[in-house]
Amino acid sequence: MKDFKIIGNGEVGDKARQLIEKNKKLKTIGFNAPKRIAFSQDFFDEYLQYNNLGKDLKEVSNEEITQEIKQGKFSQNQSNLIAKLLKNSNQFLAIRSSACGDSRGTGIYNSQMVFKNPENVLSAIKNVFASYFTKDAIAFRKQANSENGFGEIIEPVIGQWLGKSFAPIYSGHGYTSTPRSKGWIKIVNGLGGGVDTRDYLHIDREKTRKIQEPQRFPKNNSHWEKLRKGRYREVFDGTIIKGDRFHFNKETKIWELKKGNIFFKESTGDFQKLNNIYFQPLFNTMEEMENRFKSPQYFEFALTANNWKFKYWITQISEINKKTDEFNFLKPQGEFLQANQVLGNGKRNLEKIIHCGLNSEEVVEKFNKENFNYGIIYNQILMVGENTPFANISNASFILEYSVGKNIHMSLPLSHWGGALEETGKFFGVLNKEKSDMKQLGRPKKYEVDGDSIEVYNGNFEVQASEKQNILIVKNLNNKP
């Protein structure tokens, strides 16, 4: 197809496959799509063979060879091919992973943005490929029961020049519908609106419909304040600012929402024309997206303007196949721990629960290697991007965190571990420490490694979770009613 050039044969990965299969329908319902290049698994098998690292991806998929991948060299044929493909490409490029079992993106595999030149692109392709062989990636594939397979996508960074800055007006991600809502989006200024973003504005479809008058968001709404203050990920003066570096652009201070429109405070020049970004048509298109694909969709997107006519670009899409009514609570009886902000549905039984802090990473790692189907209760709020490595908690069945007093969880559960919890079927919830008595779990024992320890509760535990009802409970069945 003309919008997607595929290099090689074989597996291209789920992220690329979803885009290839849905691209035409997405365009017919009003979304835009850039021209993309997909490298299939054959391309990377050739790279492994050329560097004497193995016959193919299947042979070495469970080996930690990240440094060997990064330090390897492309054959002359592959280098020439990439240089040829770059001749007509945009100035700024995104090199994106596309592994099997990772169509939505979990943060397990890397992606990079680079300035267009062969040296930068070759290095980025190797770095992204190397992320397939990390300890976290190997643990993720095992827990998700995903097949081996990998590809990469090269596409232009979606954006436009806004003064000296190159970026979309905003980017974000969302769901066409969820068990508890008729769809929502989260947006950030500029780049960086993926699932693990922290400084975002959450916009719910139903609430947007009800907005009739200008509404200034309250000062104590930290989500709004962070976005309004303009942390803005972008390409500045032709130099790509990546990772956790941001450039502040005062012209993009968002300040109020009126009838679903965003207004920019202190805007000048062309920014005056950015007023009246109306979200209801986007939500209507999201509804059409779900109808066309016959299931709820997770998607990532960016907004640009051509002659100040707004254009939405789909950068990622994935089907969400959940049994939203798999478990419904009646009235739980007896003593139990209760959590909300729930991820997951169903009932599970287990015999061990650990209680720990984020500073006990080495102890948790050892415990995880020795145990399966256990629970983790963290004694603090988890910060997005500051979690223990996924490989260290890969064998857990559920993860809970504490919310103490007014200290509330500021991101969706989906943000933790970049979405890997959902893809591997783990439950997640937020406990209120003041309403949760750990004594209900019994008397803990210490599990110690080199002077550091965690608490281990042994018993007959039952965990029940319902996203639709937003309840998760943990009961010790050994306790008498």
Side-chain angles (χ1 to χ4, degrees):
M1 58 187 299
K2 62 181 181 179
D3 290 332
F4 230 117
K5 184 178 182 65
I6 301 175
I7 305 300
N9 300 306
E11 184 63 60
V12 294
D14 286 355
K15 194 179 297 181
R17 185 185 301 108
Q18 289 270 329
L19 288 167
I20 291 169
E21 292 175 352
K22 297 177 178 178
N23 204 50
K24 185 175 181 180
K25 286 185 178 180
L26 287 170
K27 293 175 75 173
T28 61
I29 62 178
F31 288 108
N32 294 273
K35 294 186 182 299
R36 294 178 167 103
I37 300 169
F39 289 96
S40 72
Q41 185 172 312
D42 287 358
F43 180 88
F44 298 98
D45 288 343
E46 182 181 333
Y47 180 84
L48 292 172
Q49 294 164 15
Y50 186 77
N51 290 277
N52 297 316
L53 295 174
K55 178 183 175 182
D56 53 34
L57 192 71
K58 184 177 181 180
E59 182 180 289
V60 297
S61 61
N62 292 321
E63 298 180 22
E64 295 181 48
I65 54 171
T66 56
Q67 290 306 311
E68 291 90 334
I69 295 289
K70 291 178 181 180
Q71 294 169 6
K73 295 183 179 181
F74 288 96
S75 67
Q76 192 61 51
N77 287 340
Q78 288 190 324
S79 297
N80 291 342
L81 173 63
I82 292 170
K84 182 179 180 180
L85 292 171
L86 295 179
K87 282 185 177 180
N88 298 318
S89 63
N90 288 40
Q91 189 172 10
F92 306 110
L93 298 174
I95 316 298
R96 308 181 64 199
S97 61
S98 179
C100 287
D102 192 40
S103 60
R104 199 195 64 203
T106 58
I108 294 294
Y109 306 105
N110 290 343
S111 292
Q112 285 191 216
M113 294 183 184
V114 295
F115 184 79
K116 183 190 80 171
N117 68 50
E119 183 179 350
N120 287 349
V121 173
L122 290 173
S123 177
I125 291 174
K126 290 191 289 185
N127 289 339
V128 173
F129 184 34
S131 69
Y132 188 82
F133 301 93
T134 64
K135 184 168 64 173
D136 275 4
I138 294 169
F140 170 78
R141 289 194 295 275
K142 180 180 178 181
Q143 288 294 311
N145 293 316
S146 63
E147 297 180 0
N148 291 318
F150 186 81
E152 289 189 22
I153 303 169
I154 297 183
E155 64 184 31
V157 174
I158 303 301
Q160 62 196 93
W161 287 104
L162 303 171
K164 294 182 178 181
S165 305
F166 185 88
I169 296 166
Y170 64 72
S171 62
H173 69 278
Y175 280 83
T176 57
S177 68
T178 70
R180 296 198 298 271
S181 79
K182 294 185 178 181
W184 52 260
I185 57 174
K186 291 200 300 186
I187 63 170
V188 300
N189 296 328
L191 298 167
V195 67
D196 56 352
T197 185
R198 292 173 61 186
D199 302 320
Y200 61 80
L201 175 63
H202 181 104
I203 303 175
D204 184 90
R205 179 178 187 176
E206 289 302 300
K207 292 180 181 178
T208 300
R209 280 178 174 171
K210 297 175 182 178
I211 293 174
Q212 298 297 328
E213 299 297 332
Q215 294 188 2
R216 291 179 181 271
F217 282 68
K219 291 182 179 180
N220 61 358
N221 185 319
S222 63
H223 288 174
W224 180 258
E225 285 295 299
K226 288 178 182 177
L227 186 61
R228 185 180 64 78
K229 291 176 181 177
R231 289 186 71 186
Y232 193 77
R233 180 180 288 183
E234 62 189 332
V235 179
F236 183 70
D237 278 342
T239 302
I240 289 182
I241 298 177
K242 55 187 177 179
D244 58 356
R245 296 180 60 197
F246 292 84
H247 178 79
F248 174 64
N249 188 325
K250 67 180 181 180
E251 290 183 317
T252 58
K253 288 184 179 178
I254 300 172
W255 79 302
E256 68 179 10
L257 195 64
K258 179 181 179 182
K259 295 183 179 179
N261 301 338
I262 271 190
F263 288 79
F264 289 80
K265 187 179 181 181
E266 299 174 0
S267 46
T268 59
D270 286 332
F271 276 94
Q272 292 285 1
K273 300 175 184 177
L274 296 182
N275 287 337
N276 300 314
I277 297 178
Y278 188 44
F279 286 106
Q280 200 54 52
L282 173 60
F283 283 113
N284 292 340
T285 309
M286 289 163 55
E287 183 177 8
E288 177 66 15
M289 187 196 308
E290 183 165 321
N291 291 336
R292 290 287 186 100
F293 300 127
K294 303 185 186 307
S295 70
Q297 303 288 307
Y298 167 85
F299 66 103
E300 297 182 10
F301 63 96
L303 175 76
T304 63
N306 183 13
N307 294 323
W308 304 108
K309 292 182 179 179
F310 301 117
K311 299 176 69 173
Y312 284 99
W313 300 79
I314 292 291
T315 57
Q316 194 163 309
I317 188 168
S318 176
E319 293 182 4
I320 303 299
N321 297 314
K322 283 191 173 183
K323 296 180 181 179
T324 58
D325 296 316
E326 182 179 343
F327 186 83
N328 283 297
F329 282 99
L330 297 174
K331 287 186 178 180
Q333 303 295 319
E335 296 182 333
F336 52 85
L337 303 182
Q338 181 171 323
N340 56 19
Q341 298 192 47
V342 175
L343 186 70
N345 296 282
K347 181 189 295 186
R348 293 176 186 169
N349 293 87
L350 53 152
E351 297 180 347
K352 293 182 180 181
I353 296 175
I354 65 173
H355 185 221
C356 61
L358 288 175
N359 58 350
S360 301
E361 186 174 305
E362 292 183 5
V363 188
V364 174
E365 179 182 14
K366 187 173 187 299
F367 185 89
N368 184 74
K369 289 179 179 179
E370 298 171 352
N371 294 273
F372 296 87
N373 190 32
Y374 66 94
I376 302 177
I377 299 178
Y378 283 102
N379 60 13
Q380 62 194 94
I381 287 287
L382 302 177
M383 301 298 292
V384 175
E386 298 177 6
N387 300 315
T388 189
F390 178 80
N392 292 4
I393 52 91
S394 59
N395 292 328
S397 290
F398 76 82
I399 298 169
L400 302 180
E401 64 176 9
Y402 273 142
S403 174
V404 183
K406 296 182 179 180
N407 187 11
I408 62 173
H409 189 271
M410 299 308 296
S411 291
L412 296 176
L414 188 66
S415 302
H416 287 305
W417 288 276
L421 298 184
E422 186 175 45
E423 292 297 314
T424 54
K426 301 186 191 306
F427 295 167
F428 180 90
V430 181
L431 289 171
N432 188 312
K433 191 171 184 177
E434 297 172 347
K435 297 180 180 180
S436 300
D437 187 357
M438 295 292 291
K439 292 180 181 178
Q440 295 170 11
L441 301 181
R443 182 175 295 179
K445 295 182 179 180
K446 279 191 175 183
Y447 179 90
E448 191 170 351
V449 176
D450 295 332
D452 191 9
S453 65
I454 59 176
E455 293 180 329
V456 180
Y457 292 86
N458 294 281
N460 183 13
F461 303 109
E462 181 180 83
V463 185
Q464 304 174 8
S466 171
E467 281 190 37
K468 186 174 182 178
Q469 295 174 279
N470 195 25
I471 300 173
L472 182 150
I473 65 171
V474 182
K475 297 179 67 174
N476 187 346
L477 299 181
N478 291 337
N479 292 340
K480 296 181 179 180

